[in-house]
Amino acid sequence: MAKKLKGVVVSDKMAKTVVVDVSRYTRHPLYGKYLKTSKRYKAHDEKNEYKTGDKVIIQETKPRSRGKHWEVVGKI
């Protein structure tokens, strides 16, 4: 089963690629406070249909390039 993540498209300037920002809350190991952390993933977008600001679901896939291991499944 491939991993799926929810995020927001922050860049659509590349051909057939979007950059998706995935935010999550993690707990600090010592103090217990919850902190918001985010990571950016490059995802494959075959038809260039997703634009900046769209909320999307991305799924893990085979490597398509050196930094692209995800593909956009759909819009939320």
Side-chain angles (χ1 to χ4, degrees):
M1 191 74 189
K3 293 180 189 177
K4 290 187 178 180
L5 299 172
K6 296 177 187 175
V8 179
V9 176
V10 292
S11 174
D12 61 346
K13 294 177 191 282
M14 292 175 275
K16 297 187 179 183
T17 304
V18 292
V19 179
V20 180
D21 188 51
V22 176
S23 297
R24 60 178 63 138
Y25 284 97
T26 57
R27 192 165 187 229
H28 190 280
L30 178 61
Y31 300 115
K33 183 176 181 176
Y34 286 93
L35 304 169
K36 187 176 183 181
T37 59
S38 63
K39 187 171 178 180
R40 291 182 171 194
Y41 297 94
K42 288 180 184 158
H44 186 69
D45 175 19
E46 184 65 37
K47 300 175 185 173
N48 289 321
E49 57 185 310
Y50 301 102
K51 301 300 174 194
T52 303
D54 291 347
K55 293 183 180 180
V56 295
I57 298 173
I58 58 173
Q59 178 178 326
E60 199 171 29
T61 184
K62 65 179 185 175
R64 295 189 182 255
S65 67
R66 183 171 64 103
K68 190 161 64 166
H69 309 276
W70 296 83
E71 65 182 351
V72 180
V73 177
K75 206 174 191 179
I76 298 177

